[in-house]
mmCIF file of all heavy atoms in Angstrom:
data_model
loop_
_atom_site.group_PDB
_atom_site.id
_atom_site.type_symbol
_atom_site.label_atom_id
_atom_site.label_comp_id
_atom_site.label_asym_id
_atom_site.label_seq_id
_atom_site.Cartn_x
_atom_site.Cartn_y
_atom_site.Cartn_z
ATOM 1 N N HIS A 167 0.354 -22.672 20.731
ATOM 2 C CA HIS A 167 1.134 -21.868 19.836
ATOM 3 C C HIS A 167 0.959 -20.364 20.094
ATOM 4 O O HIS A 167 1.906 -19.575 19.766
ATOM 5 C CB HIS A 167 0.802 -22.125 18.387
ATOM 6 C CG HIS A 167 0.933 -23.587 18.025
ATOM 7 N ND1 HIS A 167 2.136 -24.233 17.937
ATOM 8 C CD2 HIS A 167 0.021 -24.497 17.693
ATOM 9 C CE1 HIS A 167 1.999 -25.477 17.624
ATOM 10 N NE2 HIS A 167 0.649 -25.706 17.449
ATOM 11 N N TYR A 168 -0.133 -19.972 20.694
ATOM 12 C CA TYR A 168 -0.405 -18.521 20.866
ATOM 13 C C TYR A 168 0.221 -17.944 22.106
ATOM 14 O O TYR A 168 0.268 -18.561 23.170
ATOM 15 C CB TYR A 168 -1.922 -18.351 20.972
ATOM 16 C CG TYR A 168 -2.372 -16.945 21.363
ATOM 17 C CD1 TYR A 168 -2.364 -15.931 20.406
ATOM 18 C CD2 TYR A 168 -2.740 -16.668 22.641
ATOM 19 C CE1 TYR A 168 -2.723 -14.618 20.782
ATOM 20 C CE2 TYR A 168 -3.098 -15.341 22.972
ATOM 21 C CZ TYR A 168 -3.104 -14.322 22.073
ATOM 22 O OH TYR A 168 -3.449 -13.076 22.421
ATOM 23 N N TYR A 170 3.371 -17.073 23.137
ATOM 24 C CA TYR A 170 4.715 -17.310 23.651
ATOM 25 C C TYR A 170 4.637 -17.956 25.032
ATOM 26 O O TYR A 170 5.234 -17.413 26.016
ATOM 27 C CB TYR A 170 5.559 -16.017 23.699
ATOM 28 C CG TYR A 170 5.437 -15.209 22.400
ATOM 29 C CD1 TYR A 170 4.719 -14.027 22.383
ATOM 30 C CD2 TYR A 170 6.063 -15.711 21.234
ATOM 31 C CE1 TYR A 170 4.589 -13.274 21.170
ATOM 32 C CE2 TYR A 170 5.906 -14.984 20.054
ATOM 33 C CZ TYR A 170 5.226 -13.783 20.034
ATOM 34 O OH TYR A 170 5.067 -13.111 18.839
ATOM 35 N N TYR A 248 20.602 -14.498 10.521
ATOM 36 C CA TYR A 248 19.147 -14.522 10.546
ATOM 37 C C TYR A 248 18.557 -15.376 9.428
ATOM 38 O O TYR A 248 17.555 -16.107 9.601
ATOM 39 C CB TYR A 248 18.558 -13.137 10.416
ATOM 40 C CG TYR A 248 17.063 -13.019 10.603
ATOM 41 C CD1 TYR A 248 16.495 -13.203 11.846
ATOM 42 C CD2 TYR A 248 16.277 -12.721 9.543
ATOM 43 C CE1 TYR A 248 15.105 -13.159 12.048
ATOM 44 C CE2 TYR A 248 14.869 -12.605 9.678
ATOM 45 C CZ TYR A 248 14.319 -12.819 10.950
ATOM 46 O OH TYR A 248 12.986 -12.757 11.125
ATOM 47 N N GLU A 360 6.865 -15.152 0.598
ATOM 48 C CA GLU A 360 5.434 -15.057 0.958
ATOM 49 C C GLU A 360 4.770 -13.985 0.133
ATOM 50 O O GLU A 360 5.302 -12.848 0.096
ATOM 51 C CB GLU A 360 5.261 -14.707 2.440
ATOM 52 C CG GLU A 360 3.835 -14.643 2.870
ATOM 53 C CD GLU A 360 3.646 -14.367 4.381
ATOM 54 O OE1 GLU A 360 4.591 -14.757 5.209
ATOM 55 O OE2 GLU A 360 2.664 -13.715 4.753
ATOM 56 N N ARG A 367 2.599 -18.878 1.042
ATOM 57 C CA ARG A 367 4.015 -19.129 1.120
ATOM 58 C C ARG A 367 4.450 -20.042 -0.013
ATOM 59 O O ARG A 367 3.860 -21.101 -0.200
ATOM 60 C CB ARG A 367 4.386 -19.693 2.486
ATOM 61 C CG ARG A 367 4.396 -18.679 3.600
ATOM 62 C CD ARG A 367 4.715 -19.371 4.941
ATOM 63 N NE ARG A 367 4.776 -18.445 6.023
ATOM 64 C CZ ARG A 367 4.504 -18.736 7.276
ATOM 65 N NH1 ARG A 367 4.126 -20.000 7.571
ATOM 66 N NH2 ARG A 367 4.600 -17.843 8.223
ATOM 67 N N GLY A 404 8.088 -12.198 3.881
ATOM 68 C CA GLY A 404 8.137 -13.519 4.489
ATOM 69 C C GLY A 404 9.175 -13.669 5.610
ATOM 70 O O GLY A 404 8.940 -14.503 6.525
ATOM 71 N N SER A 405 10.214 -12.893 5.565
ATOM 72 C CA SER A 405 11.281 -13.054 6.528
ATOM 73 C C SER A 405 10.882 -12.630 7.961
ATOM 74 O O SER A 405 11.575 -12.916 8.930
ATOM 75 C CB SER A 405 12.565 -12.316 6.133
ATOM 76 O OG SER A 405 12.278 -10.913 5.999
ATOM 77 N N ALA A 406 9.761 -11.936 8.067
ATOM 78 C CA ALA A 406 9.308 -11.505 9.401
ATOM 79 C C ALA A 406 8.861 -12.721 10.253
ATOM 80 O O ALA A 406 8.986 -12.697 11.469
ATOM 81 C CB ALA A 406 8.100 -10.505 9.261
ATOM 82 N N THR A 407 8.343 -13.737 9.595
ATOM 83 C CA THR A 407 7.918 -14.937 10.381
ATOM 84 C C THR A 407 8.651 -16.194 9.958
ATOM 85 O O THR A 407 8.584 -17.187 10.657
ATOM 86 C CB THR A 407 6.424 -15.107 10.215
ATOM 87 O OG1 THR A 407 6.113 -15.159 8.824
ATOM 88 C CG2 THR A 407 5.644 -14.020 10.848
ATOM 89 N N MET A 408 9.238 -16.224 8.754
ATOM 90 C CA MET A 408 9.902 -17.418 8.283
ATOM 91 C C MET A 408 11.025 -17.007 7.327
ATOM 92 O O MET A 408 10.865 -17.144 6.134
ATOM 93 C CB MET A 408 8.918 -18.347 7.638
ATOM 94 C CG MET A 408 9.455 -19.736 7.350
ATOM 95 S SD MET A 408 8.147 -20.900 6.752
ATOM 96 C CE MET A 408 7.168 -21.121 8.228
ATOM 97 N N PRO A 409 12.159 -16.611 7.876
ATOM 98 C CA PRO A 409 13.279 -16.245 6.986
ATOM 99 C C PRO A 409 13.790 -17.433 6.228
ATOM 100 O O PRO A 409 13.755 -18.587 6.763
ATOM 101 C CB PRO A 409 14.308 -15.695 7.974
ATOM 102 C CG PRO A 409 13.990 -16.289 9.272
ATOM 103 C CD PRO A 409 12.473 -16.459 9.290
ATOM 104 N N LEU A 497 13.525 -10.038 18.518
ATOM 105 C CA LEU A 497 13.178 -11.237 17.812
ATOM 106 C C LEU A 497 13.870 -12.479 18.406
ATOM 107 O O LEU A 497 13.216 -13.519 18.563
ATOM 108 C CB LEU A 497 13.479 -11.158 16.329
ATOM 109 C CG LEU A 497 12.861 -9.980 15.517
ATOM 110 C CD1 LEU A 497 13.190 -10.139 14.015
ATOM 111 C CD2 LEU A 497 11.352 -9.921 15.774
ATOM 112 N N LEU A 500 12.228 -13.849 21.608
ATOM 113 C CA LEU A 500 10.967 -14.594 21.415
ATOM 114 C C LEU A 500 11.225 -15.854 20.629
ATOM 115 O O LEU A 500 10.442 -16.759 20.726
ATOM 116 C CB LEU A 500 9.930 -13.699 20.732
ATOM 117 C CG LEU A 500 9.482 -12.450 21.514
ATOM 118 C CD1 LEU A 500 8.611 -11.555 20.616
ATOM 119 C CD2 LEU A 500 8.773 -12.840 22.806
ATOM 120 N N THR A 501 12.199 -15.822 19.698
ATOM 121 C CA THR A 501 12.494 -16.821 18.682
ATOM 122 C C THR A 501 11.601 -16.663 17.497
ATOM 123 O O THR A 501 10.346 -16.500 17.672
ATOM 124 C CB THR A 501 12.562 -18.251 19.154
ATOM 125 O OG1 THR A 501 11.235 -18.757 19.344
ATOM 126 C CG2 THR A 501 13.353 -18.380 20.449
ATOM 127 N N VAL A 502 12.130 -16.770 16.310
ATOM 128 C CA VAL A 502 11.351 -16.656 15.086
ATOM 129 C C VAL A 502 10.335 -17.756 14.953
ATOM 130 O O VAL A 502 9.204 -17.559 14.507
ATOM 131 C CB VAL A 502 12.301 -16.626 13.871
ATOM 132 C CG1 VAL A 502 11.477 -16.627 12.588
ATOM 133 C CG2 VAL A 502 13.219 -15.403 13.912
ATOM 134 N N SER A 503 10.715 -18.966 15.412
ATOM 135 C CA SER A 503 9.753 -20.106 15.341
ATOM 136 C C SER A 503 8.506 -19.876 16.180
ATOM 137 O O SER A 503 7.410 -20.126 15.764
ATOM 138 C CB SER A 503 10.450 -21.401 15.715
ATOM 139 O OG SER A 503 10.953 -21.363 17.048
ATOM 140 N N ALA A 504 8.743 -19.275 17.385
ATOM 141 C CA ALA A 504 7.580 -18.992 18.249
ATOM 142 C C ALA A 504 6.768 -17.836 17.653
ATOM 143 O O ALA A 504 5.522 -17.878 17.736
ATOM 144 C CB ALA A 504 8.096 -18.560 19.647
ATOM 145 N N ILE A 505 7.423 -16.844 17.066
ATOM 146 C CA ILE A 505 6.649 -15.790 16.402
ATOM 147 C C ILE A 505 5.808 -16.311 15.266
ATOM 148 O O ILE A 505 4.665 -15.988 15.109
ATOM 149 C CB ILE A 505 7.660 -14.721 15.892
ATOM 150 C CG1 ILE A 505 8.310 -13.958 17.022
ATOM 151 C CG2 ILE A 505 6.910 -13.700 14.947
ATOM 152 C CD1 ILE A 505 9.445 -13.050 16.591
ATOM 153 N N SER A 506 6.398 -17.202 14.479
ATOM 154 C CA SER A 506 5.713 -17.822 13.361
ATOM 155 C C SER A 506 4.445 -18.565 13.856
ATOM 156 O O SER A 506 3.341 -18.430 13.244
ATOM 157 C CB SER A 506 6.610 -18.748 12.609
ATOM 158 O OG SER A 506 5.955 -19.306 11.455
ATOM 159 N N ARG A 507 4.568 -19.364 14.906
ATOM 160 C CA ARG A 507 3.458 -20.088 15.462
ATOM 161 C C ARG A 507 2.365 -19.191 16.032
ATOM 162 O O ARG A 507 1.168 -19.401 15.870
ATOM 163 C CB ARG A 507 3.915 -21.111 16.530
ATOM 164 C CG ARG A 507 4.828 -22.206 15.972
ATOM 165 C CD ARG A 507 4.970 -23.314 16.972
ATOM 166 N NE ARG A 507 5.621 -22.858 18.275
ATOM 167 C CZ ARG A 507 6.901 -22.771 18.439
ATOM 168 N NH1 ARG A 507 7.740 -23.147 17.465
ATOM 169 N NH2 ARG A 507 7.401 -22.339 19.594
ATOM 170 N N HIS A 508 2.845 -18.152 16.699
ATOM 171 C CA HIS A 508 1.879 -17.210 17.327
ATOM 172 C C HIS A 508 1.085 -16.530 16.216
ATOM 173 O O HIS A 508 -0.144 -16.429 16.337
ATOM 174 C CB HIS A 508 2.657 -16.131 18.106
ATOM 175 C CG HIS A 508 1.897 -14.973 18.585
ATOM 176 N ND1 HIS A 508 1.049 -15.037 19.651
ATOM 177 C CD2 HIS A 508 1.806 -13.693 18.110
ATOM 178 C CE1 HIS A 508 0.460 -13.864 19.786
ATOM 179 N NE2 HIS A 508 0.931 -13.028 18.851
ATOM 180 N N VAL A 509 1.769 -16.009 15.192
ATOM 181 C CA VAL A 509 1.046 -15.275 14.174
ATOM 182 C C VAL A 509 0.161 -16.228 13.394
ATOM 183 O O VAL A 509 -0.949 -15.860 12.972
ATOM 184 C CB VAL A 509 2.102 -14.631 13.244
ATOM 185 C CG1 VAL A 509 1.465 -14.091 11.962
ATOM 186 C CG2 VAL A 509 2.803 -13.442 13.955
ATOM 187 N N ALA A 510 0.645 -17.437 13.150
ATOM 188 C CA ALA A 510 -0.167 -18.379 12.379
ATOM 189 C C ALA A 510 -1.482 -18.728 13.092
ATOM 190 O O ALA A 510 -2.529 -18.884 12.440
ATOM 191 C CB ALA A 510 0.646 -19.681 12.122
ATOM 192 N N SER A 511 -1.415 -18.806 14.389
ATOM 193 C CA SER A 511 -2.644 -19.121 15.208
ATOM 194 C C SER A 511 -3.668 -18.007 15.024
ATOM 195 O O SER A 511 -4.899 -18.280 14.846
ATOM 196 C CB SER A 511 -2.281 -19.316 16.630
ATOM 197 O OG SER A 511 -1.848 -18.147 17.266
ATOM 198 N N LEU A 512 -3.258 -16.754 15.013
ATOM 199 C CA LEU A 512 -4.212 -15.667 14.878
ATOM 200 C C LEU A 512 -4.772 -15.581 13.418
ATOM 201 O O LEU A 512 -5.949 -15.392 13.230
ATOM 202 C CB LEU A 512 -3.474 -14.333 15.180
ATOM 203 C CG LEU A 512 -3.107 -14.082 16.647
ATOM 204 C CD1 LEU A 512 -2.231 -12.861 16.780
ATOM 205 C CD2 LEU A 512 -4.335 -13.969 17.527
ATOM 206 N N ALA A 513 -3.897 -15.837 12.481
ATOM 207 C CA ALA A 513 -4.325 -15.829 11.039
ATOM 208 C C ALA A 513 -5.326 -16.979 10.777
ATOM 209 O O ALA A 513 -6.321 -16.741 10.128
ATOM 210 C CB ALA A 513 -3.141 -15.909 10.138
ATOM 211 N N LEU A 514 -5.033 -18.126 11.278
ATOM 212 C CA LEU A 514 -5.864 -19.273 11.037
ATOM 213 C C LEU A 514 -7.236 -19.116 11.707
ATOM 214 O O LEU A 514 -8.308 -19.373 11.142
ATOM 215 C CB LEU A 514 -5.216 -20.591 11.517
ATOM 216 C CG LEU A 514 -6.023 -21.897 11.392
ATOM 217 C CD1 LEU A 514 -6.484 -22.022 9.902
ATOM 218 C CD2 LEU A 514 -5.204 -23.084 11.804
ATOM 219 N N HIS A 544 -2.253 -24.154 7.935
ATOM 220 C CA HIS A 544 -1.263 -23.781 8.939
ATOM 221 C C HIS A 544 0.132 -23.686 8.288
ATOM 222 O O HIS A 544 0.950 -22.902 8.689
ATOM 223 C CB HIS A 544 -1.294 -24.825 10.046
ATOM 224 C CG HIS A 544 -0.533 -24.374 11.285
ATOM 225 N ND1 HIS A 544 -1.111 -23.580 12.265
ATOM 226 C CD2 HIS A 544 0.763 -24.511 11.640
ATOM 227 C CE1 HIS A 544 -0.240 -23.364 13.195
ATOM 228 N NE2 HIS A 544 0.906 -23.923 12.833
ATOM 229 N N HIS A 545 0.379 -24.503 7.256
ATOM 230 C CA HIS A 545 1.722 -24.567 6.731
ATOM 231 C C HIS A 545 1.936 -23.690 5.551
ATOM 232 O O HIS A 545 2.995 -23.111 5.358
ATOM 233 C CB HIS A 545 1.970 -26.050 6.274
ATOM 234 C CG HIS A 545 1.816 -27.073 7.462
ATOM 235 N ND1 HIS A 545 2.737 -27.127 8.471
ATOM 236 C CD2 HIS A 545 0.786 -27.908 7.720
ATOM 237 C CE1 HIS A 545 2.313 -28.087 9.345
ATOM 238 N NE2 HIS A 545 1.145 -28.562 8.877
ATOM 239 N N MET A 547 0.045 -20.896 4.561
ATOM 240 C CA MET A 547 -0.364 -19.469 4.624
ATOM 241 C C MET A 547 0.415 -18.754 5.705
ATOM 242 O O MET A 547 0.664 -19.303 6.775
ATOM 243 C CB MET A 547 -1.876 -19.393 4.859
ATOM 244 C CG MET A 547 -2.771 -20.134 3.863
ATOM 245 S SD MET A 547 -2.387 -19.641 2.136
ATOM 246 C CE MET A 547 -2.921 -17.912 2.231
ATOM 247 N N GLY A 548 0.784 -17.519 5.357
ATOM 248 C CA GLY A 548 1.492 -16.712 6.336
ATOM 249 C C GLY A 548 0.537 -15.842 7.234
ATOM 250 O O GLY A 548 -0.593 -16.247 7.471
ATOM 251 N N SER A 549 0.976 -14.665 7.564
ATOM 252 C CA SER A 549 0.202 -13.815 8.495
ATOM 253 C C SER A 549 -0.826 -12.987 7.793
ATOM 254 O O SER A 549 -1.532 -12.208 8.446
ATOM 255 C CB SER A 549 1.200 -12.919 9.285
ATOM 256 O OG SER A 549 1.814 -12.023 8.359
ATOM 257 N N PHE A 630 -0.974 -9.810 10.632
ATOM 258 C CA PHE A 630 -0.574 -9.870 12.050
ATOM 259 C C PHE A 630 0.892 -9.808 12.244
ATOM 260 O O PHE A 630 1.718 -10.222 11.350
ATOM 261 C CB PHE A 630 -1.125 -11.109 12.698
ATOM 262 C CG PHE A 630 -2.624 -11.192 12.645
ATOM 263 C CD1 PHE A 630 -3.280 -11.931 11.688
ATOM 264 C CD2 PHE A 630 -3.425 -10.593 13.618
ATOM 265 C CE1 PHE A 630 -4.698 -12.058 11.654
ATOM 266 C CE2 PHE A 630 -4.796 -10.654 13.618
ATOM 267 C CZ PHE A 630 -5.445 -11.396 12.597
ATOM 268 N N GLY A 631 1.329 -9.287 13.374
ATOM 269 C CA GLY A 631 2.695 -9.160 13.741
ATOM 270 C C GLY A 631 2.969 -9.886 15.064
ATOM 271 O O GLY A 631 2.034 -10.396 15.689
ATOM 272 N N TYR A 632 4.214 -9.865 15.487
ATOM 273 C CA TYR A 632 4.572 -10.600 16.700
ATOM 274 C C TYR A 632 3.883 -10.123 17.957
ATOM 275 O O TYR A 632 3.734 -10.856 18.917
ATOM 276 C CB TYR A 632 6.073 -10.694 16.865
ATOM 277 C CG TYR A 632 6.723 -9.434 17.417
ATOM 278 C CD1 TYR A 632 6.738 -9.125 18.794
ATOM 279 C CD2 TYR A 632 7.391 -8.519 16.570
ATOM 280 C CE1 TYR A 632 7.350 -7.997 19.291
ATOM 281 C CE2 TYR A 632 8.009 -7.364 17.067
ATOM 282 C CZ TYR A 632 7.984 -7.129 18.443
ATOM 283 O OH TYR A 632 8.586 -5.977 18.946
#
Side-chain angles (χ1 to χ4, degrees):
H167 304 292
Y168 171 78
Y170 313 108
Y248 187 69
E360 181 180 329
R367 284 178 177 152
S405 58
T407 54
M408 193 173 288
L497 301 188
L500 297 173
T501 75
V502 175
S503 61
I505 291 172
S506 181
R507 293 193 301 272
H508 169 77
V509 168
S511 67
L512 292 172
L514 180 54
H544 194 86
H545 303 285
M547 304 305 296
S549 66
F630 298 97
Y632 77 81

